[in-house]
Amino acid sequence: MVKDVFQREREPSHRFSNALTRATNARQAQNVAVCLTSVEQRLRDMDKMGVDVQAISCSPFQFMYALDEERGARTARVINENLAAIVEKHPDRFVALADVPLQAPAAAAEELEYCVRRLGFRGVEIGTNVVGGEISHGRDVFWAKVQELDVVVFMHPNGFTSGERLGEHYFINAIGNPLDSTVAIGYLVFDGVLERFPRLKIVSAHGGGYVSHYPGRMDHMWDARADARTVLKKKPRQSLARLYFDTVVFDREQLRHLVSLWGADHIVVGTDYPYDMGWYDPRGFLDGCQFLTDGDRAKILGLNAARLLKITGRLPSMGRRPGPKRPRTTGRRRR
């Protein structure tokens, strides 16, 4: 469907990687292919990690925001129908997050509504930029639909868009991923998206990047400079406090800082499965956090995610919902 038009070399994670990084990534792709394609392997790995229910979504490599609107919408539909089929077969282990063509905000809103109302999806996964464009610019129709549907947004980066200095040492991931999240969150805050849509529930991967640990500088800037107050009406910290962050930070002191700043109610377990930059002992990591109360640990291990994903018990009734047949051009048969 996209092999003749999608150019992976345009993706920051590839474009700003040196030869060794590209070769290492190619080997990794072979090693994790079964984890990305075999539900049975994923279930075995979930059991090893002590994960009862997983929110599944496409890989960030499949966002494909560079596609035109029509092809992007068709690609997202195929991805979403596949996710729905997996959830339908394993409703007690999986819930799904939609892929949407964010390059076409109205189409993204339409696809999200279809996924939530027809397929029973619990949210949406998006990138931190749209071919270098900000996710806060000109996409209010999408954000309004997210708020209307009352679903969670999981935001995951795929390298940094201006990564000319990040080509060595896998910096495009280690530094670039949290940096792109930081820029995206900055725009969501200062462009007023989180003020205009105060009921949004956005989870930022990798502990929210750098901005989640450095709100004081943004507050100071907003106080000190008129050019920081062109849209935002209240201190940035008040918008940042609406966000959620995952535990993929690799260091308990960093997690302690996240909890101290934003509260245990705003932290959820992440793994980055199945890549080498993932963390596959989330229970052990949190069990070793002596600063957490038993109640806070329970929230982070699952209660917060269950609330965001609207998991209230066993899940057999949470899959596909009946409705009118869709045209074949957007259904499963297009795969």
Side-chain angles (χ1 to χ4, degrees):
M1 179 180 288
V2 300
K3 66 179 181 179
D4 295 328
V5 293
F6 177 67
Q7 298 176 325
R8 170 159 291 199
E9 58 270 17
R10 295 183 61 182
E11 297 293 310
S13 60
H14 184 87
R15 181 158 48 106
F16 298 115
S17 294
N18 65 15
L20 178 58
T21 292
R22 293 180 184 184
T24 304
N25 286 344
R27 288 193 298 272
Q28 178 179 206
Q30 294 178 340
N31 293 337
V32 304
V34 66
C35 303
L36 293 171
T37 57
S38 168
V39 176
E40 291 71 23
Q41 181 63 50
R42 181 175 291 258
L43 288 169
R44 287 192 292 270
D45 291 341
M46 287 167 59
D47 290 340
K48 290 178 183 177
M49 291 186 286
V51 174
D52 298 315
V53 179
Q54 190 176 70
I56 56 172
S57 59
C58 71
S59 165
F61 300 112
Q62 294 177 306
F63 290 150
M64 299 186 188
Y65 295 149
L67 297 178
D68 63 73
E69 176 178 344
E70 189 274 337
R71 197 183 297 262
R74 286 197 293 123
T75 301
R77 180 60 60 87
V78 169
I79 290 171
N80 292 328
E81 292 285 353
N82 184 57
L83 292 171
I86 294 171
V87 173
E88 195 168 47
K89 291 179 181 178
H90 303 276
D92 58 335
R93 301 305 302 272
F94 298 119
V95 294
L97 302 179
D99 177 47
V100 296
L102 204 55
Q103 64 270 40
E110 181 180 351
E111 182 64 19
L112 179 59
E113 182 157 36
Y114 170 76
C115 288
V116 173
R117 298 197 188 281
R118 280 285 314 282
L119 304 183
F121 282 24
R122 301 313 168 81
V124 58
E125 182 192 27
I126 65 171
T128 45
N129 70 84
V130 180
V131 199
E134 301 306 331
I135 58 175
S136 61
H137 289 176
R139 304 183 208 280
D140 274 9
V141 65
F142 168 74
W143 295 116
K145 182 59 66 175
V146 174
Q147 180 166 273
E148 174 194 329
L149 294 170
D150 189 33
V151 292
V152 68
V153 176
F154 178 53
M155 188 171 68
H156 195 291
N158 188 22
F160 185 61
T161 52
S162 298
E164 290 83 2
R165 295 176 61 200
L166 303 180
E168 305 293 325
H169 313 299
Y170 205 35
F171 281 170
I172 192 59
N173 181 291
I175 295 174
N177 270 4
L179 183 57
D180 215 65
S181 293
T182 297
V183 174
I185 291 172
Y187 274 103
L188 287 172
V189 169
F190 282 88
D191 281 344
V193 172
L194 296 169
E195 283 190 337
R196 290 195 297 280
F197 305 103
R199 298 194 307 278
L200 289 177
K201 297 170 291 188
I202 300 175
V203 179
S204 180
H206 315 129
Y210 307 120
V211 70
S212 55
H213 294 276
Y214 208 12
R217 188 172 181 87
M218 284 192 166
D219 282 351
H220 178 84
M221 177 181 67
W222 185 85
D223 276 328
R225 299 182 59 91
D227 53 350
R229 298 191 300 271
T230 56
V231 179
L232 191 63
K233 297 176 182 178
K234 298 179 181 179
K235 281 194 174 185
R237 190 182 299 251
Q238 295 187 39
S239 290
L240 289 168
R242 297 189 176 104
L243 300 174
Y244 296 80
F245 311 101
D246 75 10
T247 58
V248 185
V249 295
F250 306 105
D251 183 90
R252 292 188 175 99
E253 282 302 310
Q254 190 169 344
L255 183 61
R256 182 204 295 266
H257 195 231
L258 275 177
V259 172
S260 177
L261 280 173
W262 311 114
D265 290 341
H266 281 251
I267 313 297
V268 298
V269 163
T271 62
D272 248 349
Y273 175 92
Y275 297 101
D276 55 10
M277 290 297 287
W279 186 258
Y280 304 127
D281 184 19
R283 288 182 176 271
F285 182 61
L286 288 168
D287 285 344
C289 293
Q290 301 302 315
F291 56 88
L292 292 174
T293 67
D294 289 344
D296 285 346
R297 187 176 291 106
K299 290 177 182 177
I300 298 171
L301 277 171
L303 294 179
N304 293 337
R307 173 169 48 85
L308 292 171
L309 295 166
K310 301 178 183 176
I311 299 172
T312 57
R314 294 185 64 82
L315 308 178
S317 65
M318 296 184 178
R320 181 185 299 274
R321 296 176 182 141
K325 292 183 179 180
R326 303 291 294 187
R328 289 188 177 184
T329 55
T330 57
R332 283 201 190 102
R333 296 181 185 179
R334 294 290 299 176
R335 285 183 292 171

